Amino acid sequence: MSPLRFTELLNRLFAGPVTALLQLLRIHPNRPQAPIPDHVAMQILVVLILTVLFVMIRARLSVENPGALQHTIEGVHGFVGQLGKEIIGHDYERYLPYLITLGLFIFFSNMLGLIPGLASPTAKPVVPLGCAVVTWVYYQYHGLRANGLIGYLKHFMGPVWWLAILMFPIEVFSHLARLMSLTVRLFANIFAGEMVTLVFFSLIPILFPVLFMGLHVFFGTIQTYIFVLLAAVYLGEATAHEH
């Protein structure tokens, strides 16, 4: 499969430095002349899009006359804020920047495949896995920060002390399984959506692909919501104080 145009551009500009950096880390790319794969290039593109988006919002920020873009982002902030307030509770504002950034990154990554010549990076399992690992580390860190080591370990012990020897390995396994569940749920839905859209577009290039593109938008939005919702749930559980 030939690389996407944007991937080719990045490799043309940065293949040398990227290959040198990878070799310094003892990683030897199969194609030193093109070490940047499509899913990495698409993630870079998403970051660039979000950076431009926020620069535009910051430049046009207004209290008296907010534009449509500002209203949209404020709506996103309010929605995620309400979600955090209901699920995380006390001190939820601390986690909003991460949850909003995570949601926007996943949403734009999911939608990128709708643009001809581009692809959704979340249709590659390594990208949802990366989001899952970062989220897992993030909520574990804040759980330790909020409760201390002993207090956080009590979350794994169960409600009564004599069940601790049974509950601890179950809880550890449950936390590790969250990495798999977050990854597979996001990857499988976006990959399937892209494949169905491509198949119907190749078979019936008029009308029907629009329907499946609409379904892709719907499921991509739902998967973004579910990922952020679960991240908030895990944060709420990790940072809750034992009484």
Side-chain angles (χ1 to χ4, degrees):
M1 185 177 178
S2 59
L4 302 172
R5 294 272 181 95
F6 185 73
T7 308
E8 291 179 343
L9 174 63
L10 289 182
N11 280 313
R12 195 177 306 123
L13 294 173
F14 303 111
V18 171
T19 299
L21 177 61
L22 291 174
Q23 290 175 344
L24 188 65
L25 298 172
R26 299 184 180 277
I27 301 172
H28 303 285
N30 294 327
R31 299 176 61 203
Q33 72 280 10
I36 304 173
D38 283 333
H39 65 274
V40 173
M42 292 300 99
Q43 290 179 85
I44 293 171
L45 182 57
V46 169
V47 171
L48 291 175
I49 291 171
L50 289 175
T51 302
V52 171
L53 178 67
F54 284 114
V55 169
M56 290 172 57
I57 294 170
R58 182 65 184 87
R60 300 176 183 179
L61 205 60
S62 173
V63 176
E64 295 81 12
N65 188 29
L69 196 56
Q70 182 178 333
H71 276 302
T72 301
I73 295 300
E74 287 176 350
V76 170
H77 183 276
F79 179 79
V80 178
Q82 185 62 31
L83 193 70
K85 184 177 181 180
E86 293 176 357
I87 295 174
I88 302 172
H90 178 69
D91 208 24
Y92 72 94
E93 297 94 341
R94 178 189 300 273
Y95 314 111
L96 288 186
Y98 176 74
L99 293 175
I100 293 171
T101 303
L102 175 70
L104 289 174
F105 175 80
I106 292 175
F107 177 78
F108 277 85
S109 296
N110 291 348
M111 298 302 126
L112 210 59
L114 296 173
I115 303 173
L118 301 178
S120 297
T122 40
K124 290 287 185 180
V126 67
V127 178
L129 176 61
C131 294
V133 169
V134 171
T135 299
W136 192 87
V137 171
Y138 182 81
Y139 84 75
Q140 299 286 0
Y141 165 77
H142 280 286
L144 287 166
R145 182 182 177 279
N147 294 285
L149 179 59
I150 302 301
Y152 188 53
L153 286 176
K154 288 181 180 178
H155 285 249
F156 295 77
M157 300 298 186
V160 290
W161 65 268
W162 47 271
L163 279 177
I165 194 169
L166 176 65
M167 292 300 299
F168 187 80
I170 293 175
E171 285 295 321
V172 169
F173 179 79
S174 172
H175 279 253
L176 293 174
R178 291 174 179 180
L179 292 169
M180 180 68 72
S181 64
L182 286 172
T183 301
V184 172
R185 183 183 293 107
L186 179 57
F187 158 68
N189 280 276
I190 301 307
F191 177 78
E194 279 208 339
M195 290 300 101
V196 169
T197 302
L198 287 173
V199 167
F200 275 88
F201 189 80
S202 62
L203 294 175
I204 312 171
I206 300 174
L207 189 59
F208 276 99
V210 176
L211 172 63
F212 285 97
M213 288 172 72
L215 288 173
H216 184 97
V217 172
F218 175 75
F219 286 114
T221 304
I222 291 296
Q223 290 307 312
T224 302
Y225 170 73
I226 291 173
F227 205 107
V228 174
L229 173 67
L230 290 175
V233 169
Y234 299 155
L235 275 166
E237 291 177 352
T239 57
H241 296 285
E242 294 290 338
H243 297 288

